[in-house]
Each structure stands twice: as structure tokens, then as C-alpha cells.
Amino acid sequence: MKRLDIFGALKKDMDVIEKELYRSIEGDDQQLTETSLHLLKAGGKRLRPVFVLMGGKFGNYDIDKLKYIAVPLELIHSASLVHDDVIDDADMRRGKPTVKSKWDNRIAMYTGDYIYGKALTLTTNLNNPEIHRILSKAMVEMSIGEMEQIRDFFNCNQDVRRYLLRIRRKTSMLIAVSCQLGAMAAEADRVVSSSMYRFGYNVGMAFQIQDDLLDLCGTEKQIGKPPGSDMRQGNITLPVIYALQEPELGQRLLKEIERIHALNGQCDVSEAVGMIRSSTGIARSEVLADRYIRKAIDALDSLPDIKTKKQLKDIAHFVTKRSY
Amino acid sequence: MKRLDIFGALKKDMDVIEKELYRSIEGDDQQLTETSLHLLKAGGKRLRPVFVLMGGKFGNYDIDKLKYIAVPLELIHSASLVHDDVIDDADMRRGKPTVKSKWDNRIAMYTGDYIYGKALTLTTNLNNPEIHRILSKAMVEMSIGEMEQIRDFFNCNQDVRRYLLRIRRKTSMLIAVSCQLGAMAAEADRVVSSSMYRFGYNVGMAFQIQDDLLDLCGTEKQIGKPPGSDMRQGNITLPVIYALQEPELGQRLLKEIERIHALNGQCDVSEAVGMIRSSTGIARSEVLADRYIRKAIDALDSLPDIKTKKQLKDIAHFVTKRSY
């Protein structure tokens, strides 16, 4: 999925967010400012801020309020990525060297802590304790999701439900909360903010499934890192779980994953990737992603018919537009 | 410094805090609950909660409010410790195995993130945005302090000022904020909360200097880990900076530190520790710690004469009571 550049109307405000993002992590410490800036400049789709602003369109849209949600959400997402990279021992992300590879693990860890702190400092500009509560709970859920991911590394016995629960915590929740808090900060109707939550949750699920598909089916240029990274790391994603369910191929794949596990992922994984690509796992995962997108679009039904509603639909479709 | 058990009057409420601490980290994830509990049960002096409660005594003392400051502050402190242990590659803390040694670095990292999130969730029970602001800023400062510490590892060119700035961020600020927020949450006078801040800040400085002295002069039993850990790690503390200023001994010590650095701390450090102990660095550090204690006690001058004031003086003196 490419950067979201489909929102002409939001463009100006997203420029504000981009500037605020950079400003937010400036501080006394040159090293932390530099590593944080490196992380933010590596880019990303800014999906969470976009959703915050779009959520805001259903209420009293005020960029000067919404930025205190949008920027922290992107910061929290970024902080989780930098901690992820330490865990994953990742050298590249989005086609750029990671903080942990350009500097080191220790710097990556404190960069994450620093960015979390900066995110929370910004949110204190809003006097709504419920927003803080939702945000901090999402942080807790995210760390649980990350932990579950570690625990399930190379676990070939997990079922689809376990995978879905994990990505719910790891990814969807923060996207759901972005949609919800945008509406809440704009004092939109409670029905609206909970519909937005449901929209974000389902888009987030589809988005993560799609991302996991891309890691198997995309090119290095598309992904920004070598394909099969999840496999090397032992991250058993949805297409893998489905592929493992196939009687003959499943057995061969299991053996191959065990070999990769034994070598701690320090080996060629193209055979395993090839098996999964030739399995029904890809198509079945696509079906599930599409089902989440449909649910996301359904969640929009109760929303007033403003232009943003159409744009949200567009994003939903965009998330599962396959380029591989 | 031993556990603070000098406060009969506060004992009952500290039991409440202790229970709330354990309850606060319970959650859906067994692993994270277990590692967090391990961390909290390893103990500690609970200095920050004690100061919160004592700060509260100068206003409308209400344990049901104060706990939402006291527990998060201890949690933030604990989260920073578990992240520290990853950086320091520490196997022992307070005489118990660290999370990173009992489990692994990845688990330690997410345990820290989880506890930070839980801490912030708890504070949302209080509807005072200024408290959130102060707390999140303290978190940012702490991560800067930690980063400065990494950067200054094995840096023998640093002066006393640099050391003091670093421990201010790393330690004193959170203790200062504990004292201040306790008073603020109890709606004490602003003069009181800023005096409490100054008290905490100065006690915190003395406390860290004392802790650094203990690492050089204490026994393994007193410290809970082998003496000279700071030296092995390259953490150049106040007594070392002073010792390096001595003409002849300073030169020998510099060479020894360079040797330890070259071996990445994987060596016997007793010679360096011996040199520092025989230098004027110990006595000069003690003088500075005592000066901070005096400043802490001066900060109490403007406070009303309640029993807590006397107890705060007792703690201040207790901090620099030397057992080595």
C-alpha cells in the first residue's frame, strides 16, 4: 500500500500535522531529536493522523484541537515501530536503515521511550480524561499484542482466531482509536464515534492481513525490506496458518519452518515463501481481508452523508488494492 | 539505603499502595502480568509513593486520590528500571534476577512498555491535566537522562556539572515530581507544592550520589549486585570524576578505565574500585551529597509545622546515612 495521497481537501491540514510531528520531538537532547527525526522522516502512510482528521469532520472540525490527537497517535505508532525493530533485529524499514541498525539497540529503546513520553505530553493539551483513558489503554493493548507475537514466534499450532486476536491488539486497536478519538475530540455524536471505531477496527484488521500478504507476495522495492521477513523471524501470519492446514503442502511447510527455526532464521526462506504462495493461503487471506473491508464499509452506514464518508470508503478499498 | 520503614503512621496507607501496585499490572496477558509482578515483588524502597503520600499530608489528604499518583509513579520508576536492565545487560537487581536475565531482552522491553501504559491508564482517574503534563514531561526527561548516561559511558572527560545534569534527569526529577504531585493532588497551596518539589529534587540528587557511592563502597549483600557494576558498565559517577582530578592517581585510574573499556567491562574492576576508594573522591562526593540534603531541609522551611515535616527531615537524613 502506497502513501495515502488521495485526499486533496485534507492535504493542507496534513501538512500542519507533518510540521507538528517534527516539532513535537525537538528537545534538549540532540541524539534523541536526531534519531526520532530519522524515524519520522522515514515516512509511513500517516494513516492514523488521516483517520483522526477524518473522524473530526463528523463534528466541530478544529485542526488546532485535532492535532493533539493526530500527532500523538502517529508518535505512539512510531515508538512502537522502533521498539519492534529492536525485537525483530530489523536493519531496514520502509527502505531506510532502522534506528537500531544506524545507531544501536540501546539508543533505539530510549528513542522509543522518549517518543512515547513526547506523545503523552502533547495529549495533555486536551482536557478530556476519557481521551487519555482510551489512548493509554490502547498503549497497553499494543504491548500485549507485541508480547503475544513474540510468544507465538515459530508456533505452527496456532489457529486463525489466535492470529486475529493478536493483530487486533497489535494493529487494529490503534487505528480504531484514531478514528474514534478524532470524532470524540470534535465532539461528534457518540453514535458517530463508535461507528468510526468499528470502521477503523475493521480497516485495521484488513490492513494488517494485507501487510502480512505483502511480506510474502511483494517485491523488495514494494516492501522496503527483503520479502519473507516475517518467516525469517518466525512470525506465523494468516497465509501461513492457512497453508499449514493443507494436508500435503502443510507437512512440507511445517518441516521447512522447523528448519528455519533451528537456524534461527539465519537462512534462505524462499522455499517456504514459495510454498505459501502456491497454497490456497493467499486467496483465503485475501477473502478474509475483503470481508473486513466490507464490515468497515457497513460501519459507515449510520454516518451522515458528508464527503468524508465517501473518502473513508475510498480508503477502505485502497487498503486491499493489491499491487503484487 | 535500606527500605524505608520509619513511617508508622503511613504504614497502613502504604499497604494500600502495595496492593494497588500489584492489582494495577494484572491483565489479560499472563506473561506480562508475571514479569511485571516479578519486577514489583523484587521490591525497592517505594520512595516515590511515600513522598506522594507525605506531600498529600499538606493538603486534603485522600488516599483514594493519592493512590492514582503514587502507584503510577512507582510503575514509571519500575518500567525505567526494567528498560535499564536491558541496556546495562544486568543479571541482578536488588539481589534478584532481572526480567531480562530470567526471561529475555524482548520480554523485558515489552514489560517496560506495558507498565508505562498501565501507569498512564491509572493517572487518567484524576481529572487534573496539569498533573498529566508534569508526569509526562518527567518521563521525557528520564529518557533523556538515560540517553545521556549511555552517551557518557567511559567518557573520562566529563565534569561534575555534566554528571549533576544527568542524575537530575535520570533520578531527581521523578522524586521531585512525586513530592510535588502529592501536594498538588491534595490541593495544597502552590507554595507548598513548589517547596515539596525543591525538597524532592535535592533529596533525589543526594540519593543518587549516595547510590553511586554505595556501588563503589558497599558489599555485594548491601547492593544486591556485585560492587563496581557502574565501573564495569562505564558509568562514570561523581567519585570517579573527582578521583580522575587527582594528578598522579588520576592518571593511573584513567589508564585502568581505558583498559576496562577496551575489554568492554568483561574483566575484574577491583583495581579501579580500589583506586577510587583510596582517593579523595569518596569524601568529596559525601560532602556534596550532604550539601544537597541541607538544601532539601532548607526547602521545608516554608512548610507548615505538621508532623510530616519532621518525618521528611528524618528521611532526608536517612538518605545519606552511610552503612559502608
Side-chain angles (χ1 to χ4, degrees), chain B residues 120-190:
Chain B
L120 295 160
T121 310
L122 271 184
T123 56
T124 59
N125 287 298
L126 293 170
N127 284 346
N128 184 341
E130 202 183 346
I131 290 179
H132 298 283
R133 200 145 36 233
I134 291 170
L135 210 54
S136 55
K137 277 196 184 156
M139 271 178 69
V140 171
E141 289 294 315
M142 270 171 71
S143 63
I144 296 180
E146 299 286 2
M147 188 63 116
E148 289 170 336
Q149 180 167 311
I150 295 176
R151 191 176 32 225
D152 284 339
F153 275 160
F154 290 111
N155 170 12
C156 292
N157 265 326
Q158 58 187 299
D159 55 16
V160 172
R161 196 176 148 269
R162 193 172 175 112
Y163 165 85
L164 295 176
L165 269 175
R166 191 169 70 227
I167 67 167
R168 176 174 170 266
R169 287 195 158 116
K170 208 190 72 158
T171 308
S172 318
M173 179 107 26
L174 202 66
I175 295 180
V177 159
S178 304
C179 295
Q180 177 193 24
L181 291 184
M184 275 178 67
E187 286 152 33
D189 212 81
R190 193 153 282 268

Side-chain angles (χ1 to χ4, degrees), chain A residues 185-196:
Chain A
E187 285 151 35
D189 213 80
R190 192 154 283 268
V191 180
V192 170
S193 62
S194 68
S195 295
M196 281 299 289

Side-chain angles (χ1 to χ4, degrees), chain B residues 68-287:
Chain B
Y68 293 127
I69 306 277
V71 173
L73 274 162
E74 186 68 14
L75 290 177
I76 289 172
H77 171 60
S78 299
S80 82
L81 290 186
V82 74
H83 277 183
D84 254 23
D85 289 337
V86 176
I87 298 304
D88 302 350
D89 213 18
D91 288 328
M92 300 293 276
R93 179 180 291 272
R94 298 167 179 160
K96 298 241 168 91
T98 56
V99 171
K100 70 131 276 182
S101 80
K102 202 169 168 194
W103 290 276
D104 68 21
N105 265 342
R106 303 177 308 178
I107 291 179
M109 168 127 86
Y110 287 127
T111 300
D113 289 359
Y114 175 76
I115 297 177
Y116 275 130
K118 285 289 192 183
L120 295 160
T121 310
L122 271 184
T123 56
T124 59
N125 287 298
L126 293 170
N127 284 346
N128 184 341
E130 202 183 346
I131 290 179
H132 298 283
R133 200 145 36 233
I134 291 170
L135 210 54
S136 55
K137 277 196 184 156
M139 271 178 69
V140 171
E141 289 294 315
M142 270 171 71
S143 63
I144 296 180
E146 299 286 2
M147 188 63 116
E148 289 170 336
Q149 180 167 311
I150 295 176
R151 191 176 32 225
D152 284 339
F153 275 160
F154 290 111
N155 170 12
C156 292
N157 265 326
Q158 58 187 299
D159 55 16
V160 172
R161 196 176 148 269
R162 193 172 175 112
Y163 165 85
L164 295 176
L165 269 175
R166 191 169 70 227
I167 67 167
R168 176 174 170 266
R169 287 195 158 116
K170 208 190 72 158
T171 308
S172 318
M173 179 107 26
L174 202 66
I175 295 180
V177 159
S178 304
C179 295
Q180 177 193 24
L181 291 184
M184 275 178 67
E187 286 152 33
D189 212 81
R190 193 153 282 268
V191 179
V192 170
S193 62
S194 68
S195 295
M196 280 301 289
Y197 180 93
R198 265 194 305 135
F199 170 80
Y201 167 73
N202 286 294
V203 165
M205 295 297 281
F207 174 68
Q208 187 60 56
I209 293 172
Q210 199 52 39
D211 207 48
D212 292 343
L213 277 163
L214 196 64
D215 186 66
L216 290 159
C217 304
T219 62
E220 178 156 356
K221 202 175 156 212
Q222 282 172 326
I223 316 175
K225 57 187 176 184
S229 304
D230 284 331
M231 183 48 75
R232 239 183 309 276
Q233 192 188 322
N235 188 10
I236 306 294
T237 57
L238 187 61
V240 189
I241 295 173
Y242 282 138
L244 282 165
Q245 291 172 351
E246 291 187 24
E248 193 269 333
L249 182 135
Q251 280 307 308
R252 279 192 293 130
L253 180 58
L254 182 66
K255 271 196 191 129
E256 183 58 15
I257 294 176
E258 279 165 359
R259 186 187 74 86
I260 296 167
H261 190 185
L263 294 167
N264 240 327
Q266 304 296 311
C267 58
D268 183 25
V269 296
S270 56
E271 201 175 320
V273 170
M275 281 188 233
I276 302 155
R277 288 169 80 153
S278 73
S279 78
T280 57
I282 304 299
R284 289 173 74 191
S285 301
E286 288 173 354
V287 167

Side-chain angles (χ1 to χ4, degrees), chain A residues 28 83-84 110 113 133 169, chain B residues 28 83-84 110 113 169:
Chain A
D28 295 345
H83 278 184
D84 256 22
Y110 287 127
D113 289 0
R133 199 143 40 233
R169 287 195 158 117
Chain B
D28 294 346
H83 277 183
D84 254 23
Y110 287 127
D113 289 359
R169 287 195 158 116

